[in-house]
Amino acid sequence: MGSTVLSLRIDGELLDRLRQHAAKRGMSVQDYVVRTLIRDDFDERFTAAVEETEKFYGDSGGSVTPPAGGAGDATTHVMGVTPPVT
């Protein structure tokens, strides 16, 4: 994965705040901004994955439950394995 230059024009006060936040973490402003963008991107992708899971199983008040029709956990159903009947 290569790197590309991104140039930003930002307010002086914002840059000062970014410097303070970065300094608290012992980071450069560049590293702090990149880490923040990566974290935000992960949050968006995680939220999208949760929404897709809820669509697949149906929204059941925030908890994901396996489809009806047999014992076992959600993993066995997602993988297409039918648990043995006891």
Side-chain angles (χ1 to χ4, degrees):
M1 176 183 228
S3 62
T4 302
V5 174
L6 172 65
S7 177
L8 299 172
R9 183 182 306 255
I10 61 174
D11 182 71
E13 290 180 29
L14 175 58
L15 181 57
D16 289 340
R17 289 199 319 265
L18 289 171
R19 283 185 180 133
Q20 291 172 3
H21 289 295
K24 288 179 187 176
R25 291 159 180 82
M27 303 170 73
S28 69
V29 172
Q30 177 180 341
D31 289 342
Y32 177 77
V33 170
V34 168
R35 187 177 214 175
T36 302
L37 292 170
I38 290 169
R39 185 179 59 232
D40 187 54
D41 179 59
F42 171 80
D43 291 346
E44 286 181 25
R45 288 183 289 131
F46 181 77
T47 300
V50 169
E51 289 171 357
E52 286 298 314
T53 301
E54 288 175 348
K55 285 180 195 174
F56 182 76
Y57 287 111
D59 189 11
S60 57
S63 63
V64 177
T65 55
D73 63 25
T75 305
T76 59
H77 290 286
V78 170
M79 294 175 64
V81 177
T82 305
V85 177
T86 56

